[in-house]
Amino acid sequence: MNRSKSVHRRTVLQALAGTGVLLTLSPGLLLTGCDGGVKAVESETLGLDSDEYDVELNLHAMPDSVPILPGAPSEVWRYRAELLKGPKNTVSENPDSYLGPTIRLRHGQTVKIHIHNELPEDTTVHWHGLHVPSDVDGQPRLPIRPGEAMTVGFEVLDRAGLFWYHSHAHSEQGGRVGFQSYAGLAGLLIVEDDEEAGLGLPSGDNELLLVLQDRTFAGANELVYLDGGMGAMMDRMHGFLGDRMLVNGVPPATRKVATRPYRIRVLNGSNARIYKLAWSDGRPVTLIGADGGLLREPEDRPYAVLAPAQRLDIWVDLSQSQPGSTLELISDSFQASMMGGMGMMGSNALPLGSRFTLVGLEVAESVEVNEQLPAQLGLQRQKIPVSSTTPIRPFELSPVMMRGFAINGRRFEGTSVADDEKVRLGDTEIWEFWNNTPMPHPMHIHGLQFNILGRRGGNSDSLHQGLVDNGWHDTVLVMPRETVQLAIKFERFDGLFIYHCHNMEHEDAGMMRYFQVQS
Ligand code: C2O
Ligand code: CU
């Protein structure tokens, strides 16, 4: 990167810090972060101590400037990686996007990552969904200071699936996850394994990876996060909604495809927006996987709901499509008024629940392939067994006057853990989230994949037929007034982990807590 270029350009990325102070990144601030590069001496590797790693890479978090819309490029913060060791396809850059490189790992690999913070403020990198030790989980308790580096090591224990990595910084003044992720600090992480490879699902050009994010831009293409005044207060209450869509960091586009099946893997990388995925011709959405990898068998739904941080794996067969025709993956309209008026306030050009296109698939080529959707998919991982004696741990999600939301009456207080937030290593529990608020909350638990057991209560609304509860998840959307139960087993790693709402503005405002796994 040409450092001086980025130092001298006026940087207009704006954000309200947790304190409500308007922070404009000035060249001076950038200088602190960028000048001199990484000065930290190589520290010990956190997490895993191994003589030999299969994969080793440098991951830089840095300011950059990227063309997003026609006209001037936009100032962003983004990840860049260099592969030091491992298979060549481990790192694929997204050169025309602010998105971090897609990192492709295999089950069983040992991985060592040197994270370099070239930003003007603290950051961390969280491997969302991966089963990794507490110290490499990117928790706010282990910040990487500007100009410093941290090395983490872990073994890839998860089965095949689509994961992602993003910032998880939280300072004394409040959370920075919303700002840093919005500025561009996020990327995809794919885990592959033999079971999945054996199914021969569409791959290479026939596997589409889509990262859904909404953004707002000012006149000269500057990214705008929370702008001042009343609007910002409402945004922090509801979560930030951008006024236009970006898919993989650029405006939605049409892709040329052939008459054959495709695998479409979608991440909701938005701060707060919920998507209702559907096909423009009304065909059912065929789901083959969720957060934690493949379902046991495919499922057809009229539409599929994708909440912040969740992933869905979709199969679509275009072999009967007419050459020249275009099928669109859309986010369909839904009633957001059930959700505490989310999206109804202010003047957002793209309110929550509006209908828009995510990607167009233009059938441009006729091919003869005979690839069938397997009737059985991920069978190897057995569901977590529960019984009538499995202990239930209740969590009430409740509003806090003017200050966001609480979990069991508590908000984020550093690493403090209450007695009812301590679990035993090796135990299976039922976690029960009761959403006693008028808004949906995508609840995420770090370090483990869980099974959703069921839902009760809640308002009837236009989304329920699209909630995907089978399979393995790390994030579950708890609808207003609803109670959701999930089965979770605290395996392998003890120590501190986090659970929180993945509406990033809720999280940053304190809807987040540590829990402790005790051995
Ligand atoms: Cu994707 Cu704690 O976050
Ligand atoms: Cu929330």
Side-chain angles (χ1 to χ4, degrees):
M1 176 180 107
N2 181 335
R3 281 168 208 276
S4 61
K5 198 174 84 192
S6 120
V7 168
H8 292 303
R9 189 181 292 110
R10 195 169 73 97
T11 300
V12 281
L13 201 59
Q14 294 182 330
L16 279 170
T19 50
V21 176
L22 183 71
L23 171 69
T24 303
L25 295 179
S26 67
L29 270 173
L30 281 183
L31 252 167
T32 331
C34 256
D35 205 40
V38 172
K39 52 184 179 282
V41 279
E42 182 62 17
S43 56
E44 56 169 327
T45 305
L46 292 175
L48 179 70
D49 190 19
S50 166
D51 301 331
E52 233 356 274
Y53 286 85
D54 303 315
V55 170
E56 188 171 348
L57 52 101
N58 276 321
L59 188 69
H60 304 264
M62 56 167 63
D64 201 356
S65 165
V66 181
I68 301 175
L69 302 178
S74 303
E75 300 292 330
V76 299
W77 287 1
R78 57 102 48 93
Y79 295 114
R80 275 280 157 94
E82 292 130 22
L83 184 65
L84 304 172
K85 184 180 176 200
K88 274 213 198 56
N89 73 347
T90 304
V91 169
S92 12
E93 290 288 347
N94 288 297
D96 302 324
S97 161
Y98 56 77
L99 284 182
T102 299
I103 300 175
R104 215 172 257 272
L105 301 174
R106 269 199 89 77
H107 177 88
Q109 275 176 335
T110 50
V111 182
K112 185 175 187 173
I113 303 177
H114 311 275
I115 306 164
H116 304 266
N117 181 3
E118 294 161 32
L119 303 170
E121 63 180 43
D122 289 0
T123 197
T124 75
V125 180
H126 171 51
W127 315 100
H128 181 117
L130 286 189
H131 186 41
V132 293
S134 169
D135 282 358
V136 312
D137 186 44
Q139 298 171 7
R141 68 187 171 87
L142 293 172
I144 312 170
R145 308 289 179 204
E148 295 192 351
M150 178 184 282
T151 300
V152 298
F154 57 87
E155 183 183 344
V156 182
L157 298 164
D158 290 273
R159 64 190 199 125
L162 179 63
F163 302 87
W164 63 305
Y165 58 101
H166 62 78
S167 146
H168 219 301
H170 199 105
S171 75
E172 300 283 305
Q173 289 79 41
R176 294 296 281 166
V177 179
F179 175 80
Q180 292 191 5
S181 307
Y182 186 85
L185 291 170
L188 291 175
L189 191 153
I190 295 173
V191 174
E192 300 174 332
D193 68 9
D194 292 342
E195 183 185 33
E196 185 193 60
L199 292 168
L201 295 168
S203 62
D205 287 345
N206 306 319
E207 178 191 50
L208 274 53
L209 303 169
L210 304 179
V211 179
L212 311 185
Q213 294 170 316
D214 50 344
R215 295 287 185 267
T216 296
F217 294 87
N221 292 341
E222 305 97 331
L223 275 169
V224 178
Y225 186 42
L226 301 172
D227 50 10
M230 259 318 264
M233 212 186 77
M234 288 326 287
D235 280 343
R236 263 176 293 153
M237 203 58 201
H238 293 127
F240 182 87
L241 296 174
D243 61 14
R244 61 184 302 156
M245 276 309 299
L246 298 180
V247 177
N248 297 338
V250 292
T254 294
R255 303 213 194 183
K256 292 205 182 332
V257 294
T259 53
R260 54 158 295 122
Y262 286 86
R263 179 181 191 186
I264 304 185
R265 309 177 74 175
V266 196
L267 160 70
N268 182 349
S270 316
N271 286 41
R273 187 178 291 273
I274 296 167
Y275 301 89
K276 181 180 180 182
L277 304 179
W279 291 112
S280 54
D281 66 353
R283 73 174 71 192
V285 178
T286 301
L287 298 162
I288 59 170
D291 298 342
L294 293 171
L295 302 174
R296 295 184 72 81
E297 50 202 34
E299 264 180 45
D300 275 359
R301 298 295 187 94
Y303 57 87
V305 175
L306 193 65
Q310 291 184 322
R311 288 84 69 204
L312 282 174
D313 206 334
I314 296 168
W315 163 283
V316 64
D317 189 356
L318 300 175
S319 31
Q320 304 307 318
S321 297
Q322 284 307 317
S325 66
T326 299
L327 178 68
E328 287 178 340
L329 181 66
I330 62 167
S331 185
D332 208 351
S333 55
F334 59 91
Q335 269 291 347
S337 60
M338 301 281 185
M339 302 174 185
M342 221 184 151
M344 307 295 285
M345 316 279 177
S347 54
N348 191 302
L350 202 67
L352 185 72
S354 17
R355 183 186 199 269
F356 46 84
T357 298
L358 298 169
V359 67
L361 304 177
E362 182 193 336
V363 182
E365 192 192 349
S366 277
V367 293
E368 286 294 323
V369 289
N370 187 25
E371 283 179 25
Q372 300 298 328
L373 172 60
Q376 312 244 273
L377 299 161
L379 298 179
Q380 276 175 20
R381 185 163 183 196
Q382 298 299 319
K383 274 185 146 190
I384 299 169
V386 289
S387 72
S388 55
T389 60
T390 308
I392 298 176
R393 192 177 290 272
F395 297 94
E396 180 191 354
L397 314 178
S398 59
V400 183
M401 215 20 149
M402 304 306 284
R403 301 185 66 193
F405 299 95
I407 307 175
N408 280 346
R410 305 182 192 101
R411 297 162 76 238
F412 189 66
E413 316 170 294
T415 52
S416 77
V417 171
D419 281 345
D420 58 12
E421 295 174 307
K422 293 177 181 155
V423 302
R424 283 248 153 254
L425 185 65
D427 277 5
T428 295
E429 295 190 355
I430 294 170
W431 279 28
E432 182 179 276
F433 289 109
W434 169 36
N435 182 355
N436 192 16
T437 83
M439 294 192 52
H441 299 284
M443 298 304 296
H444 171 47
I445 304 172
H446 278 217
L448 294 162
Q449 295 289 324
F450 51 77
N451 297 133
I452 299 167
L453 298 172
R455 300 168 179 269
R456 58 173 198 268
N459 304 328
S460 66
D461 57 65
S462 60
L463 289 180
H464 261 95
Q465 287 182 68
L467 296 171
V468 182
D469 287 348
N470 284 332
W472 294 89
H473 303 264
D474 51 57
T475 308
V476 60
L477 185 62
V478 188
M479 298 298 281
R481 311 296 170 191
E482 187 178 55
T483 299
V484 174
Q485 286 193 338
L486 53 91
I488 185 162
K489 181 161 192 224
F490 303 99
E491 288 176 299
R492 197 181 304 249
F493 302 122
D494 60 2
L496 290 169
F497 289 92
I498 300 183
Y499 65 111
H500 61 88
C501 177
H502 218 295
N503 176 316
M504 294 181 192
E505 286 69 44
H506 292 182
E507 167 183 358
D508 281 348
M511 197 182 183
M512 171 161 79
R513 297 284 305 171
Y514 275 94
F515 69 97
Q516 185 162 25
V517 184
Q518 299 177 313
S519 54

